[in-house]
Amino acid sequence: MHPVLRLVAQRFALGLLLLWAASALIFAGTQILPGDVAQSILGQSATPQSLANLREELGLNDPAMTRYFNWLWGALQGDLGTALTNGKDIADSMGYRLKNTLFLASCAAIVSVPLAIFLGLLAVRYQGRWPDKMISGVTLASISVPEFLIGYILIYFVAVKLGWFTSVAMIDDRMTFLQSLNAIALPVIVLTLVVLAHMMRMTRAAILNVMQSAYIETAELKGLNSFKVIYRHAFPNAIAPIVNVVMLNLAYLVVGVVVVEVVFVYPGMGQYLVDHVAKRDVPVVQACGLVFAAVYIGLNMIADIVSILANPRLRHPK
Amino acid sequence: MANVLEVKNLKIEATVYPPGEKSRDITIVNGVSFDLKPGKVLGLIGESGAGKSTIGLSAMAYGRGGVRITGGEVWLNGRDILAGGLSALRKLRGAEVTYVAQSAAAAFNPAKKLMEQIIEASIEHKRCSKADAEKRAIALFEKLGLPDPENFGNRYPHQVSGGQLQRAMTALALCPQPDLVIFDEPTTALDVTTQIDVLAAIKDAIRDTGVAALYITHDLAVVAQVSDDIMVLQNGKTVEYADVDTIINNPAEDYTKALVSVRSIDHKEMVPEGTPLLRASGVNARYSGTKFDVLKNINLELYPGQTLALVGESGSGKSTMARVITGLLPPRDGEIEFDGRILSADLKSRSNDDLRELQMIYQMADVAMNPRQTVGTIIGRPLEFYFGIKGAEKRRRIIELLDEIEMGEAFIDRYPAELSGGQKQRVCIARALAAKPKLIICDEVTSALDPLVADGILKLLLNLQKIENVSYLFITHDLATVRAIADSIAVMYQGRVVRYGPKSQVLEPPFDDYTDLLLSSVPEMKLGWLEDVIATRKMESAGN
């Protein structure tokens, strides 16, 4: 077996193992929460008899192990159970939310990743001079301001004063693609500003690190101009650290957008999770946790695999 | 014929930032002038810090770090290249003048195939089409003796050996058909047996392509093989500039004479007597996770107050042997007997005395010392650790040791960064001596040093041996060093000892093929040596 294939398979297996461990943690975590689901559903109207009935119905009397494996088995088949609060199928209602979140996240990624890498390259090209300092200054300032504040500032100026975009990012299935894009423009801008600095700084640092190498001098002595030196010779050797930070930020775009979704009233996963945490709807919280864990682990696994593939020593052994 | 390169009254400066002081400008090169005709080779020679690489790169108007050309003129093909801007320079770098770096392993981009890198400059400067550039590269691979020239370029740098990479670097420099190539220590990082093949390949390539070259090295014997003229440099100034015959056979300046006659040590071999201090018997060793032995049935003896040299190419197992003796790598089987007792295989179960009596000196003195400790602290540590000596008594011993290494009390409060390469190695020797060892393992201790400095270190080691009656296990790839200081020699090749005995016997014919190769590969200060050797040797280097 080719060593790269073996390494990739290894990463994949480790990812699955990690996901399984995460599922156990999520389940255990929700079990040790104080309070009783049946109690919270019935609230004021609870009688001892109705509580006992509901517990029986929800399977709360089974041992934790049995419930965990039933839940895991269901999740594997795409059955995440039903929400306690409204009795709807979780997979159905979450599917719609997840689609929205992924739509927002991918739009933000499509804008922010190339922009961050381009700005990183630019900062290296003009290292220590004013473009470098300006890029660093602006991106660091934007990451330092809390995202809800940026959100409200944008709403006030861009949506209210200028009227370019809507302040509420409500989207639904009847909207055309362009209408949807218009609706999410502001949250995309906010998310971009939030993740830009981290990716840009890492790109800059990774490439500057490579720029110390002797082969960069070789490239300069070939008479290549600075940009060619950077993107032909430095960038390919800086891919691994860059991909890692990009994936971390993509994961953040999916699992960390709660605040932005709430600010813009966007019907995504974050809002869905927050709503149901407030209502103590344990099955929904578990399901969201599992999906978030899967996204996080999946993206980081991709980063690992890309790093392996980017290494010519592994790709082309002696 | 018009000159390819004319350098007139060159002055190069750099800004240094000493810690805790104001930055200041220092002059690296001052008042250097030379010229070069087409097809001629000028050797630039000098110790490290002489400014030879800096001068070489000035032919491309390139300065490393904060180095800049502040005076003089550099004329390439009849144009003053210092007058034009950066974009004008870019047009000639990689086209009219190219560069071969010292370490090809670091100078090739690990993420790209060799061919892509070798033809890049030709295409960038529109010297020819891609297809033509590839054709030319393949022709160069063939000329430089690279295996499978048609497909060689499809490999990545890590897939070929160091000697092959250095040839590929030469191909990279010659591919755009430049008028001038700068060779910056192109064979210094190679094994002596590999160096000779690469040297011959470079020499042929220069002759066949008719290109002019600057050849930079610290090894006068090497440069004498390829150059027409030689310029000897010291501290950024020209010491002597003449044709190669004059420099080698009739040098005018004392400094040049010293370079030519270096390695003047005459050490009379001692005969083994008494019981051996160190005896290795039947040692086999392998690194964990591997399936082959890097040491195969090694048997060696070293007598008190004498020197055993372990000689071989990189990968021959000589440093592994040192790891086995010091206990860093427990052998698979076999024993190490030291001073009449069997040393435990594992470092952890050795006694304090075992550790004290067996000291090491390393190749890189720089990294073998804590940069934040003074010389006094570094040398004083073993005194305190092994003998519990403290206070005034410790200081007295430190000064005594500093005197022994010919440095003196003035250095006691200095930091390693304030010392020269030779001084650093001396401090390492003093640290080893402080433990009053019976055996010192010297692992390539002079390889990183300039010849004259290395000579001083060897003399010091021999002197100390007489005074302290200490034994040396001297690991090196350099046969000239061995000749200078060894009493007995073990030649290692692919994990085995292929020749072993007293120095006079080992260095006396008839030789086995490998020893012959090793001996004949040591560059000699003689014109035409390279051609003679290539014509008469019996086997080729394994790792070329």
Side-chain angles (χ1 to χ4, degrees), chain A residues 125 213-215 217-218 220-226 228 232-234 236-237 312-313 315-318, chain B residues 57 60 62 64 90 93-94 99 106-112 117 120-121 124-125 156 158-159 169 172:
Chain A
R125 168 68 181 78
S213 313
Y215 53 80
E217 185 182 276
T218 308
E220 281 170 356
L221 291 178
K222 280 177 183 170
L224 305 181
N225 68 38
S226 308
K228 280 182 186 160
R232 274 195 209 159
H233 290 277
N237 289 290
R313 282 169 196 275
R315 214 166 57 232
H316 306 276
K318 283 199 173 179
Chain B
L57 285 169
M60 304 174 95
Y62 186 85
R64 279 193 184 127
R90 283 202 189 108
R93 285 178 188 163
Y99 181 72
F108 273 109
N109 188 336
K112 288 177 177 284
Q117 302 188 52
E120 187 178 15
E124 178 69 23
H125 296 291
Y156 283 85
H158 70 271
Q159 293 176 307
M169 191 86 212
L172 184 150

CSV table of all heavy atoms in Angstrom, one decimal, chain A residues 125 213-215 217-218 220-226 228 232-234 236-237 312-313 315-318, chain B residues 57 60 62 64 90 93-94 99 106-112 117 120-121 124-125 156 158-159 169 172:
chain,number,residue,atom,x,y,z
A,125,ARG,N,4.9,40.5,0.6
A,125,ARG,CA,5.6,41.2,-0.5
A,125,ARG,C,6.1,42.6,0.0
A,125,ARG,O,7.2,43.0,-0.3
A,125,ARG,CB,4.6,41.3,-1.6
A,125,ARG,CG,5.0,42.3,-2.7
A,125,ARG,CD,6.2,41.8,-3.5
A,125,ARG,NE,6.7,42.7,-4.5
A,125,ARG,CZ,7.4,43.8,-4.3
A,125,ARG,NH1,7.7,44.1,-3.1
A,125,ARG,NH2,7.7,44.7,-5.3
A,213,SER,N,14.4,30.4,3.7
A,213,SER,CA,15.0,29.2,3.2
A,213,SER,C,16.0,29.5,2.1
A,213,SER,O,15.8,30.5,1.4
A,213,SER,CB,14.0,28.2,2.6
A,213,SER,OG,13.0,28.0,3.5
A,214,ALA,N,17.0,28.7,1.9
A,214,ALA,CA,18.0,28.9,0.9
A,214,ALA,C,17.4,28.9,-0.5
A,214,ALA,O,17.9,29.6,-1.4
A,214,ALA,CB,19.1,27.8,1.0
A,215,TYR,N,16.3,28.1,-0.7
A,215,TYR,CA,15.8,28.0,-2.1
A,215,TYR,C,15.1,29.3,-2.5
A,215,TYR,O,14.8,29.5,-3.7
A,215,TYR,CB,14.9,26.8,-2.3
A,215,TYR,CG,13.8,26.6,-1.3
A,215,TYR,CD1,12.6,27.3,-1.4
A,215,TYR,CD2,13.9,25.7,-0.2
A,215,TYR,CE1,11.6,27.1,-0.5
A,215,TYR,CE2,12.9,25.5,0.7
A,215,TYR,CZ,11.7,26.3,0.5
A,215,TYR,OH,10.7,26.1,1.4
A,217,GLU,N,16.5,32.2,-1.9
A,217,GLU,CA,17.6,32.9,-2.5
A,217,GLU,C,17.9,32.4,-3.9
A,217,GLU,O,18.1,33.2,-4.8
A,217,GLU,CB,18.8,32.7,-1.6
A,217,GLU,CG,20.0,33.6,-2.1
A,217,GLU,CD,21.2,33.3,-1.2
A,217,GLU,OE1,21.3,34.0,-0.2
A,217,GLU,OE2,22.1,32.5,-1.6
A,218,THR,N,17.8,31.1,-4.1
A,218,THR,CA,18.0,30.6,-5.4
A,218,THR,C,17.0,31.2,-6.4
A,218,THR,O,17.4,31.6,-7.5
A,218,THR,CB,17.8,29.0,-5.4
A,218,THR,OG1,18.6,28.5,-4.4
A,218,THR,CG2,18.1,28.4,-6.8
A,220,GLU,N,15.4,34.1,-6.1
A,220,GLU,CA,15.7,35.5,-6.3
A,220,GLU,C,16.9,35.6,-7.3
A,220,GLU,O,16.9,36.5,-8.2
A,220,GLU,CB,16.1,36.1,-5.0
A,220,GLU,CG,14.8,36.5,-4.2
A,220,GLU,CD,15.2,36.9,-2.8
A,220,GLU,OE1,16.4,36.9,-2.4
A,220,GLU,OE2,14.2,37.3,-2.1
A,221,LEU,N,17.9,34.7,-7.2
A,221,LEU,CA,19.0,34.8,-8.1
A,221,LEU,C,18.7,34.3,-9.5
A,221,LEU,O,19.6,34.4,-10.4
A,221,LEU,CB,20.2,34.0,-7.5
A,221,LEU,CG,20.8,34.7,-6.2
A,221,LEU,CD1,21.9,33.9,-5.6
A,221,LEU,CD2,21.3,36.1,-6.5
A,222,LYS,N,17.5,33.7,-9.7
A,222,LYS,CA,17.1,33.4,-11.0
A,222,LYS,C,16.5,34.6,-11.7
A,222,LYS,O,16.2,34.6,-12.9
A,222,LYS,CB,16.0,32.3,-11.0
A,222,LYS,CG,16.6,30.9,-10.8
A,222,LYS,CD,15.4,29.9,-10.7
A,222,LYS,CE,15.9,28.5,-10.5
A,222,LYS,NZ,14.7,27.6,-10.2
A,223,GLY,N,16.4,35.7,-10.9
A,223,GLY,CA,15.9,36.9,-11.5
A,223,GLY,C,14.4,37.0,-11.5
A,223,GLY,O,13.8,37.8,-12.3
A,224,LEU,N,13.7,36.2,-10.7
A,224,LEU,CA,12.2,36.2,-10.6
A,224,LEU,C,11.8,37.5,-9.8
A,224,LEU,O,12.5,37.9,-8.9
A,224,LEU,CB,11.7,35.0,-9.9
A,224,LEU,CG,12.1,33.6,-10.5
A,224,LEU,CD1,11.5,32.5,-9.7
A,224,LEU,CD2,11.7,33.5,-12.0
A,225,ASN,N,10.7,38.0,-10.2
A,225,ASN,CA,10.2,39.2,-9.3
A,225,ASN,C,9.6,38.7,-8.0
A,225,ASN,O,9.3,37.5,-7.9
A,225,ASN,CB,9.3,40.1,-10.1
A,225,ASN,CG,8.0,39.5,-10.4
A,225,ASN,OD1,7.4,38.7,-9.6
A,225,ASN,ND2,7.5,39.7,-11.6
A,226,SER,N,9.4,39.6,-7.1
A,226,SER,CA,9.1,39.2,-5.7
A,226,SER,C,7.8,38.4,-5.7
A,226,SER,O,7.7,37.4,-4.9
A,226,SER,CB,8.9,40.4,-4.9
A,226,SER,OG,10.0,41.2,-5.0
A,228,LYS,N,6.5,36.4,-8.0
A,228,LYS,CA,6.7,35.0,-8.5
A,228,LYS,C,7.5,34.2,-7.5
A,228,LYS,O,7.2,33.0,-7.3
A,228,LYS,CB,7.5,35.1,-9.8
A,228,LYS,CG,6.6,35.4,-11.0
A,228,LYS,CD,7.4,35.4,-12.3
A,228,LYS,CE,6.4,35.9,-13.4
A,228,LYS,NZ,7.2,36.3,-14.6
A,232,ARG,N,5.4,31.1,-6.4
A,232,ARG,CA,5.8,29.9,-7.0
A,232,ARG,C,6.7,29.1,-6.0
A,232,ARG,O,6.7,27.8,-6.0
A,232,ARG,CB,6.7,30.2,-8.2
A,232,ARG,CG,6.0,30.3,-9.5
A,232,ARG,CD,6.9,30.2,-10.6
A,232,ARG,NE,6.4,31.0,-11.7
A,232,ARG,CZ,7.2,31.5,-12.7
A,232,ARG,NH1,8.5,31.2,-12.7
A,232,ARG,NH2,6.7,32.2,-13.7
A,233,HIS,N,7.5,29.7,-5.2
A,233,HIS,CA,8.4,29.0,-4.4
A,233,HIS,C,8.1,29.0,-2.9
A,233,HIS,O,8.4,28.0,-2.2
A,233,HIS,CB,9.9,29.6,-4.6
A,233,HIS,CG,10.4,29.2,-6.0
A,233,HIS,ND1,11.0,28.0,-6.3
A,233,HIS,CD2,10.3,29.9,-7.1
A,233,HIS,CE1,11.3,28.0,-7.6
A,233,HIS,NE2,10.9,29.1,-8.1
A,234,ALA,N,7.6,30.1,-2.4
A,234,ALA,CA,7.3,30.1,-0.9
A,234,ALA,C,5.9,29.5,-0.6
A,234,ALA,O,5.8,28.6,0.3
A,234,ALA,CB,7.4,31.5,-0.4
A,236,PRO,N,3.9,27.2,-2.1
A,236,PRO,CA,3.7,25.7,-2.1
A,236,PRO,C,4.3,25.1,-0.8
A,236,PRO,O,3.8,24.0,-0.4
A,236,PRO,CB,4.4,25.2,-3.3
A,236,PRO,CG,4.5,26.4,-4.2
A,236,PRO,CD,4.6,27.6,-3.3
A,237,ASN,N,5.3,25.7,-0.2
A,237,ASN,CA,5.9,25.1,1.0
A,237,ASN,C,5.2,25.6,2.3
A,237,ASN,O,5.6,25.1,3.4
A,237,ASN,CB,7.4,25.4,1.0
A,237,ASN,CG,8.1,24.6,0.0
A,237,ASN,OD1,8.2,23.4,0.0
A,237,ASN,ND2,8.5,25.3,-1.1
A,312,PRO,N,5.8,16.6,-0.4
A,312,PRO,CA,6.4,15.8,-1.5
A,312,PRO,C,7.1,14.6,-1.0
A,312,PRO,O,7.2,13.6,-1.7
A,312,PRO,CB,7.3,16.7,-2.3
A,312,PRO,CG,7.6,17.9,-1.3
A,312,PRO,CD,6.4,18.0,-0.4
A,313,ARG,N,7.7,14.6,0.2
A,313,ARG,CA,8.4,13.5,0.7
A,313,ARG,C,7.5,12.3,1.0
A,313,ARG,O,7.9,11.2,0.8
A,313,ARG,CB,9.1,13.8,2.0
A,313,ARG,CG,10.4,14.6,1.8
A,313,ARG,CD,10.9,15.2,3.1
A,313,ARG,NE,11.9,16.2,2.8
A,313,ARG,CZ,13.2,15.9,2.5
A,313,ARG,NH1,13.6,14.7,2.6
A,313,ARG,NH2,14.0,16.9,2.2
A,315,ARG,N,4.4,12.1,-0.6
A,315,ARG,CA,3.7,11.8,-1.8
A,315,ARG,C,4.6,11.0,-2.8
A,315,ARG,O,4.1,10.1,-3.4
A,315,ARG,CB,3.3,13.1,-2.5
A,315,ARG,CG,2.0,13.1,-3.3
A,315,ARG,CD,1.5,14.5,-3.6
A,315,ARG,NE,2.5,15.2,-4.3
A,315,ARG,CZ,2.9,16.5,-4.0
A,315,ARG,NH1,2.4,17.0,-2.9
A,315,ARG,NH2,3.8,17.1,-4.7
A,316,HIS,N,5.9,11.3,-2.8
A,316,HIS,CA,6.8,10.6,-3.6
A,316,HIS,C,8.0,10.1,-2.8
A,316,HIS,O,9.0,10.7,-2.7
A,316,HIS,CB,7.4,11.6,-4.7
A,316,HIS,CG,6.4,12.3,-5.5
A,316,HIS,ND1,5.7,11.8,-6.6
A,316,HIS,CD2,5.8,13.6,-5.3
A,316,HIS,CE1,4.9,12.7,-7.0
A,316,HIS,NE2,4.9,13.7,-6.3
A,317,PRO,N,7.8,8.9,-2.2
A,317,PRO,CA,8.9,8.4,-1.4
A,317,PRO,C,10.0,8.0,-2.3
A,317,PRO,O,9.9,7.9,-3.5
A,317,PRO,CB,8.2,7.1,-0.7
A,317,PRO,CG,7.0,6.8,-1.6
A,317,PRO,CD,6.6,8.1,-2.2
A,318,LYS,N,11.2,7.8,-1.7
A,318,LYS,CA,12.4,7.5,-2.4
A,318,LYS,C,12.3,6.3,-3.3
A,318,LYS,O,11.6,5.3,-3.0
A,318,LYS,CB,13.6,7.3,-1.5
A,318,LYS,CG,14.1,8.6,-0.9
A,318,LYS,CD,15.4,8.5,-0.3
A,318,LYS,CE,15.9,9.9,0.0
A,318,LYS,NZ,17.2,9.9,0.6
B,57,LEU,N,28.8,37.1,-4.8
B,57,LEU,CA,27.4,37.5,-5.0
B,57,LEU,C,27.3,39.0,-5.6
B,57,LEU,O,26.3,39.4,-6.2
B,57,LEU,CB,26.6,37.4,-3.7
B,57,LEU,CG,26.2,36.0,-3.4
B,57,LEU,CD1,25.6,35.9,-2.0
B,57,LEU,CD2,25.2,35.4,-4.4
B,60,MET,N,26.4,39.6,-9.0
B,60,MET,CA,25.0,39.6,-9.4
B,60,MET,C,24.4,40.8,-8.7
B,60,MET,O,23.1,41.0,-8.6
B,60,MET,CB,24.3,38.3,-8.9
B,60,MET,CG,24.9,37.1,-9.5
B,60,MET,SD,24.1,35.6,-8.8
B,60,MET,CE,22.9,35.2,-10.1
B,62,TYR,N,24.0,41.3,-5.6
B,62,TYR,CA,23.1,40.7,-4.6
B,62,TYR,C,23.8,40.7,-3.3
B,62,TYR,O,25.0,40.4,-3.2
B,62,TYR,CB,22.7,39.3,-5.0
B,62,TYR,CG,21.7,38.7,-4.1
B,62,TYR,CD1,20.3,38.9,-4.4
B,62,TYR,CD2,22.0,37.9,-3.0
B,62,TYR,CE1,19.4,38.3,-3.6
B,62,TYR,CE2,21.1,37.3,-2.2
B,62,TYR,CZ,19.7,37.5,-2.5
B,62,TYR,OH,18.8,36.9,-1.7
B,64,ARG,N,23.4,39.5,0.8
B,64,ARG,CA,22.6,38.7,1.7
B,64,ARG,C,22.3,39.6,3.0
B,64,ARG,O,23.2,40.3,3.4
B,64,ARG,CB,23.4,37.5,2.2
B,64,ARG,CG,23.3,36.4,1.2
B,64,ARG,CD,23.8,35.1,1.9
B,64,ARG,NE,23.8,34.0,0.9
B,64,ARG,CZ,24.8,33.3,0.5
B,64,ARG,NH1,25.9,33.4,1.1
B,64,ARG,NH2,24.7,32.4,-0.4
B,90,ARG,N,17.3,42.1,-12.3
B,90,ARG,CA,16.5,40.9,-12.5
B,90,ARG,C,16.6,40.3,-13.9
B,90,ARG,O,16.6,39.1,-14.1
B,90,ARG,CB,15.0,41.1,-12.2
B,90,ARG,CG,14.7,41.2,-10.7
B,90,ARG,CD,13.3,41.0,-10.4
B,90,ARG,NE,13.0,41.3,-9.0
B,90,ARG,CZ,12.3,42.4,-8.6
B,90,ARG,NH1,11.8,43.2,-9.5
B,90,ARG,NH2,12.2,42.6,-7.4
B,93,ARG,N,20.2,38.5,-13.7
B,93,ARG,CA,20.3,37.4,-12.8
B,93,ARG,C,19.5,36.2,-13.4
B,93,ARG,O,18.4,36.3,-13.8
B,93,ARG,CB,19.6,37.7,-11.5
B,93,ARG,CG,20.4,38.7,-10.6
B,93,ARG,CD,19.6,39.0,-9.3
B,93,ARG,NE,20.3,40.1,-8.6
B,93,ARG,CZ,19.7,40.8,-7.6
B,93,ARG,NH1,18.4,40.5,-7.3
B,93,ARG,NH2,20.4,41.7,-7.0
B,94,GLY,N,20.2,35.1,-13.4
B,94,GLY,CA,19.6,33.9,-13.9
B,94,GLY,C,19.7,33.8,-15.4
B,94,GLY,O,19.2,32.8,-16.0
B,99,TYR,N,24.2,31.2,-10.4
B,99,TYR,CA,24.8,30.9,-9.1
B,99,TYR,C,24.6,29.4,-8.7
B,99,TYR,O,23.5,28.9,-8.8
B,99,TYR,CB,24.1,31.8,-8.1
B,99,TYR,CG,24.6,31.7,-6.6
B,99,TYR,CD1,25.8,32.2,-6.3
B,99,TYR,CD2,23.8,31.1,-5.7
B,99,TYR,CE1,26.3,32.2,-5.0
B,99,TYR,CE2,24.3,31.1,-4.3
B,99,TYR,CZ,25.5,31.6,-4.0
B,99,TYR,OH,25.9,31.5,-2.7
B,106,ALA,N,19.6,22.4,0.3
B,106,ALA,CA,18.7,23.4,0.8
B,106,ALA,C,18.3,24.4,-0.3
B,106,ALA,O,17.3,25.1,-0.2
B,106,ALA,CB,19.5,24.2,1.9
B,107,ALA,N,19.1,24.4,-1.4
B,107,ALA,CA,18.9,25.5,-2.4
B,107,ALA,C,17.9,25.0,-3.4
B,107,ALA,O,17.4,25.9,-4.3
B,107,ALA,CB,20.2,25.8,-3.1
B,108,PHE,N,17.5,23.8,-3.4
B,108,PHE,CA,16.4,23.3,-4.3
B,108,PHE,C,15.1,23.4,-3.5
B,108,PHE,O,15.0,23.0,-2.4
B,108,PHE,CB,16.6,21.9,-4.8
B,108,PHE,CG,17.4,21.8,-6.1
B,108,PHE,CD1,18.7,21.4,-6.1
B,108,PHE,CD2,16.8,22.3,-7.3
B,108,PHE,CE1,19.4,21.3,-7.2
B,108,PHE,CE2,17.6,22.2,-8.4
B,108,PHE,CZ,18.9,21.7,-8.4
B,109,ASN,N,14.0,23.8,-4.2
B,109,ASN,CA,12.7,23.9,-3.6
B,109,ASN,C,12.2,22.5,-3.4
B,109,ASN,O,12.0,21.8,-4.4
B,109,ASN,CB,11.8,24.7,-4.5
B,109,ASN,CG,10.4,25.0,-3.8
B,109,ASN,OD1,10.0,24.2,-3.0
B,109,ASN,ND2,9.8,26.0,-4.3
B,110,PRO,N,11.9,22.0,-2.2
B,110,PRO,CA,11.5,20.7,-1.9
B,110,PRO,C,10.1,20.3,-2.6
B,110,PRO,O,9.8,19.1,-2.7
B,110,PRO,CB,11.4,20.5,-0.4
B,110,PRO,CG,11.3,21.9,0.1
B,110,PRO,CD,12.0,22.8,-0.9
B,111,ALA,N,9.3,21.3,-2.9
B,111,ALA,CA,8.0,21.0,-3.4
B,111,ALA,C,7.9,20.9,-4.9
B,111,ALA,O,6.8,20.7,-5.4
B,111,ALA,CB,7.0,22.1,-2.9
B,112,LYS,N,9.0,21.1,-5.6
B,112,LYS,CA,8.9,21.1,-7.1
B,112,LYS,C,9.9,20.1,-7.7
B,112,LYS,O,11.0,19.9,-7.1
B,112,LYS,CB,9.2,22.5,-7.6
B,112,LYS,CG,8.1,23.5,-7.3
B,112,LYS,CD,8.5,24.9,-7.8
B,112,LYS,CE,7.4,25.9,-7.6
B,112,LYS,NZ,6.3,25.7,-8.6
B,117,GLN,N,12.5,23.3,-11.9
B,117,GLN,CA,13.4,24.4,-11.3
B,117,GLN,C,14.6,24.7,-12.1
B,117,GLN,O,15.1,25.8,-12.2
B,117,GLN,CB,13.9,23.9,-9.9
B,117,GLN,CG,12.7,23.5,-9.0
B,117,GLN,CD,13.2,23.2,-7.6
B,117,GLN,OE1,14.0,24.0,-7.0
B,117,GLN,NE2,12.8,22.1,-7.0
B,120,GLU,N,13.5,26.9,-15.1
B,120,GLU,CA,12.7,28.0,-14.8
B,120,GLU,C,13.3,29.3,-15.3
B,120,GLU,O,12.7,30.2,-15.9
B,120,GLU,CB,12.5,28.1,-13.3
B,120,GLU,CG,11.5,29.2,-12.9
B,120,GLU,CD,11.2,29.2,-11.4
B,120,GLU,OE1,12.0,28.6,-10.7
B,120,GLU,OE2,10.3,29.9,-11.0
B,121,ALA,N,14.6,29.5,-15.0
B,121,ALA,CA,15.3,30.8,-15.4
B,121,ALA,C,15.3,31.0,-16.9
B,121,ALA,O,15.1,32.1,-17.4
B,121,ALA,CB,16.7,30.8,-14.8
B,124,GLU,N,11.9,32.0,-17.9
B,124,GLU,CA,11.5,33.3,-17.4
B,124,GLU,C,12.2,34.4,-18.2
B,124,GLU,O,11.6,35.5,-18.5
B,124,GLU,CB,12.0,33.4,-15.9
B,124,GLU,CG,11.8,34.7,-15.2
B,124,GLU,CD,10.3,35.0,-14.9
B,124,GLU,OE1,9.5,34.0,-14.9
B,124,GLU,OE2,10.0,36.1,-14.8
B,125,HIS,N,13.4,34.2,-18.6
B,125,HIS,CA,14.2,35.2,-19.3
B,125,HIS,C,14.0,35.1,-20.8
B,125,HIS,O,14.8,35.7,-21.6
B,125,HIS,CB,15.6,35.2,-18.9
B,125,HIS,CG,15.8,35.6,-17.4
B,125,HIS,ND1,15.6,36.8,-16.9
B,125,HIS,CD2,16.2,34.8,-16.4
B,125,HIS,CE1,15.8,36.8,-15.6
B,125,HIS,NE2,16.2,35.6,-15.3
B,156,TYR,N,11.9,14.5,-7.4
B,156,TYR,CA,12.0,15.6,-6.5
B,156,TYR,C,13.3,15.7,-5.8
B,156,TYR,O,14.0,14.6,-5.7
B,156,TYR,CB,10.8,15.4,-5.4
B,156,TYR,CG,9.5,15.8,-6.0
B,156,TYR,CD1,8.7,14.9,-6.7
B,156,TYR,CD2,9.0,17.1,-5.8
B,156,TYR,CE1,7.5,15.2,-7.2
B,156,TYR,CE2,7.7,17.4,-6.2
B,156,TYR,CZ,7.0,16.5,-7.0
B,156,TYR,OH,5.8,16.8,-7.4
B,158,HIS,N,14.3,15.5,-2.8
B,158,HIS,CA,14.6,14.5,-1.8
B,158,HIS,C,14.8,13.1,-2.3
B,158,HIS,O,15.2,12.2,-1.6
B,158,HIS,CB,13.5,14.5,-0.7
B,158,HIS,CG,12.2,13.9,-1.2
B,158,HIS,ND1,11.3,14.7,-1.8
B,158,HIS,CD2,11.8,12.6,-1.2
B,158,HIS,CE1,10.3,13.9,-2.2
B,158,HIS,NE2,10.5,12.7,-1.8
B,159,GLN,N,14.6,12.9,-3.6
B,159,GLN,CA,14.7,11.6,-4.1
B,159,GLN,C,16.1,11.3,-4.7
B,159,GLN,O,16.3,10.2,-5.2
B,159,GLN,CB,13.6,11.3,-5.2
B,159,GLN,CG,12.2,11.3,-4.6
B,159,GLN,CD,11.1,11.2,-5.7
B,159,GLN,OE1,11.1,12.0,-6.7
B,159,GLN,NE2,10.3,10.3,-5.6
B,169,MET,N,22.4,21.2,-9.5
B,169,MET,CA,22.5,22.6,-9.2
B,169,MET,C,23.4,23.2,-10.3
B,169,MET,O,23.1,24.3,-10.8
B,169,MET,CB,23.1,22.8,-7.9
B,169,MET,CG,23.1,24.2,-7.4
B,169,MET,SD,21.5,24.6,-6.6
B,169,MET,CE,21.3,26.3,-7.0
B,172,LEU,N,21.4,23.5,-13.3
B,172,LEU,CA,20.5,24.7,-13.2
B,172,LEU,C,21.2,26.0,-13.6
B,172,LEU,O,20.7,26.8,-14.2
B,172,LEU,CB,20.0,24.7,-11.7
B,172,LEU,CG,19.0,25.8,-11.3
B,172,LEU,CD1,18.1,25.3,-10.2
B,172,LEU,CD2,19.6,27.1,-10.9
